[in-house]
Amino acid sequence: MKPINVLIVGAGAIGGFYGALLAKAGAEVSVVCRSEFDLIKQSGYLIESRDLGDWHFMPHLVLRHPEDYPEQADYVVLCTKAIDVSENLELIRPAVSNNSAIVFIQNGVETEQAFIDAFPGNEIISGLAFICCNRIGPGQIAHLAYGRLALGSLTNTISPKAKQLGALFNAAGIECRITDDIIGARWQKCVWNAPFNPLSVLSGGLATQDILSTQDPLVRSIMQEVVAIASACGHPLPEDIIECNIANTRTMPPYKTSMLLDYEQGRPMETEAILGNTIRAARREDVPSPHLETLYALMKLRELKVAQSSNTH
Amino acid sequence: MKPINVLIVGAGAIGGFYGALLAKAGAEVSVVCRSEFDLIKQSGYLIESRDLGDWHFMPHLVLRHPEDYPEQADYVVLCTKAIDVSENLELIRPAVSNNSAIVFIQNGVETEQAFIDAFPGNEIISGLAFICCNRIGPGQIAHLAYGRLALGSLTNTISPKAKQLGALFNAAGIECRITDDIIGARWQKCVWNAPFNPLSVLSGGLATQDILSTQDPLVRSIMQEVVAIASACGHPLPEDIIECNIANTRTMPPYKTSMLLDYEQGRPMETEAILGNTIRAARREDVPSPHLETLYALMKLRELKVAQSSNTH
């Protein structure tokens, strides 16, 4: 039987970890990785997982660019940061063939339509990762906690391809749920991301625990705005979603958000995917969102300051 | 004729400059200054003013503590940062005698009652300075722009003491207006301070020009909340106040706010006097202020982060 071909684009901590799981389950997993190409080509990845143990992942092919992929990918899995969607679309285009399903495991809301418009003949699968994992050294990925995935096809209501991919993840020991409301699931994740990501950066680097223990009402106000926007967009969220998020965050270990890690390391932040798209949805649906508007404006100011500082260095 | 006795408490840039003006006009001006006591006692202040020229100000007495003041002050002028009102009240108490008028030249709103309660037998004069001036070296104060003062007695509707003080400032070349609505004037100043001070800190250090040129709608939303709060507190502000503030800020030279200077130099910030008191007035008067609430919560998070960082150093 022909193996399942997977091409991972953006093989950092998230892409490397989920790629390693698919390989473990028997798929033929290749990766596009630019910054550590030589090292990964030679030695692959070392995965250190608290829950799943340690193992070595040697990709089938290690490529510098998607256009170097010589095969027909069953799945092109995009795991880059959600910084610039149109750039992402052009990045993967050369590796997408007629039968490829395009999977994006990324943060953010309202990025779906761009994928559907760019690849009208392909199945598009939207994925969300609930995971703490970090790159801890060259080719070294630590899986610290969680790991659950949600996948949903945007184009097919019954999707054998999404099911097949989910089965591989499950076989590798990670819970992967196939949902028919992946857009609602994105809004659910946004309920957490929209407050904690920007607050961690704007506070100057506080952990989630410190934010929540001192500014609980602000966190709730922001979450309420996201819930109202999601509802206006046709995705009413569970009634207890804010209480659940607050309770879960209280019991999480003190955690640096991904946006804070990006900020501290001078990388671009997912401001547009998480806040910008949320705000644009709010304006379109006429939902007042003063807390989110304030955070978004402040993040844009912060980005402007970063740009000024890097210009003068 | 007995000279007018003035004791300046908090003789940094603002206190030193306004003290120097009163001395120039003939008052006997003493200063309490702690950090540069030896230097000021020996050499006084050098004032370098773009508008008024340079001059030397040798205080009548230089003291470490208000309790060391041996005379009956006609005016005790408090020019410290508005960080902790009750601390300020206890600081000046030993120098206040029966006939002393207490003048506070400080930022912030709703600090009046604490002075009135603490010194029920004394005249209390509230003062606002519209000025750019900085300490540029030991004992050296640069007066860069503006300088206008507004004074208003909180206890006497017709106040000879406020008039006398205003006349001294005017004689020294600085416009000093006596107003019967100094509380309204404080709210007016807050219309500018409430957005630009925190935004300059939370953006990571942007100048007013950059904030305004990229986030004009946020600045206006914050200003509108301050206007609504002031009005609910019985101080309706002029209709064009937001347009005037925006227009003036556009033509100002790029300017680092006082809160940003404090933040950069690791000093406490006037978060409570400018934002905290405004928010508390909004809650009391039931005026929704989501933008201000967000800024205030973020400033508290930022202060928490500063405290954490200084604990670990």
Side-chain angles (χ1 to χ4, degrees), chain B residues 69-124:
Chain B
Y69 189 60
E71 303 175 12
Q72 306 268 311
D74 296 304
Y75 298 93
V76 176
V77 183
L78 178 67
C79 296
T80 58
K81 288 268 165 188
I83 306 295
D84 184 329
V85 177
S86 39
E87 201 178 83
N88 287 338
L89 294 169
E90 293 321 305
L91 176 68
I92 62 173
R93 189 177 290 284
V96 175
S97 54
N98 287 343
N99 293 316
S100 303
I102 295 162
V103 186
F104 56 104
I105 300 179
Q106 292 185 313
N107 271 321
V109 293
E110 302 228 319
T111 54
E112 295 87 3
Q113 198 57 45
F115 283 89
I116 295 169
D117 292 347
F119 300 102
N122 292 81
E123 176 163 2
I124 314 283

Side-chain angles (χ1 to χ4, degrees), chain A residues 153-304:
Chain A
S153 177
L154 298 173
T155 43
N156 298 2
T157 42
I158 297 165
S159 165
K161 280 219 155 186
K163 278 192 190 142
Q164 183 185 47
L165 194 65
L168 289 173
F169 283 118
N170 286 322
I174 278 287
E175 182 196 339
C176 181
R177 191 167 52 92
I178 308 299
T179 170
D180 56 7
D181 185 21
I182 188 69
I183 297 180
R186 281 194 176 271
W187 280 110
Q188 286 205 29
K189 196 175 182 198
C190 191
V191 169
W192 193 92
N193 276 333
F196 286 108
N197 273 290
L199 291 179
S200 65
V201 173
L202 294 169
S203 67
L206 286 179
T208 49
Q209 294 281 352
D210 294 320
I211 294 169
L212 189 57
S213 64
T214 60
Q215 297 297 338
D216 178 290
L218 176 67
V219 171
R220 284 173 194 269
S221 299
I222 298 164
M223 289 181 169
Q224 273 152 10
E225 289 179 358
V226 177
V227 168
I229 298 163
S231 174
C233 292
H235 300 278
L237 303 183
E239 285 218 346
D240 60 351
I241 188 159
I242 291 176
E243 285 315 317
C244 286
N245 268 286
I246 298 275
N248 287 341
T249 308
R250 283 221 185 90
T251 59
M252 272 166 64
Y255 179 58
K256 276 196 176 188
T257 68
S258 65
M259 211 181 255
L260 178 56
L261 292 173
D262 288 338
Y263 179 70
E264 289 181 344
Q265 289 161 33
R267 295 187 302 240
M269 294 179 281
E270 297 181 316
T271 307
E272 291 303 332
I274 292 173
L275 277 178
N277 289 355
T278 302
I279 284 290
R280 282 181 283 273
R283 292 176 188 163
R284 187 186 65 224
E285 306 294 334
D286 221 4
V287 179
S289 309
H291 298 90
L292 285 166
E293 292 272 6
T294 306
L295 292 189
Y296 180 52
L298 276 166
M299 287 300 298
K300 299 310 282 181
L301 290 174
R302 184 53 73 103
E303 290 177 345
L304 175 62

Side-chain angles (χ1 to χ4, degrees), chain B residues 22 82 94 102 120 195 306 310:
Chain B
L22 294 172
I102 295 162
V306 169
S310 59

Side-chain angles (χ1 to χ4, degrees), chain B residues 31 57 103 230 274:
Chain B
V31 304
F57 162 44
V103 186
I274 292 174

Side-chain angles (χ1 to χ4, degrees), chain B residues 81 83 258-259 261-263 265-271 303:
Chain B
K81 288 268 165 188
I83 306 295
S258 65
M259 210 180 256
L261 292 173
D262 287 338
Y263 178 70
Q265 289 161 34
R267 295 187 301 239
M269 294 180 281
E270 297 181 319
T271 307
E303 289 176 347

Side-chain angles (χ1 to χ4, degrees), chain B residues 144-181:
Chain B
L144 302 166
Y146 312 102
R148 183 165 68 80
L149 277 176
L151 295 179
S153 178
L154 298 173
T155 43
N156 297 2
T157 42
I158 297 164
S159 164
K161 280 220 156 187
K163 278 192 189 140
Q164 182 185 48
L165 194 65
L168 288 174
F169 284 119
N170 286 323
I174 278 287
E175 182 195 339
C176 180
R177 191 166 52 92
I178 308 298
T179 169
D180 56 6
D181 185 21

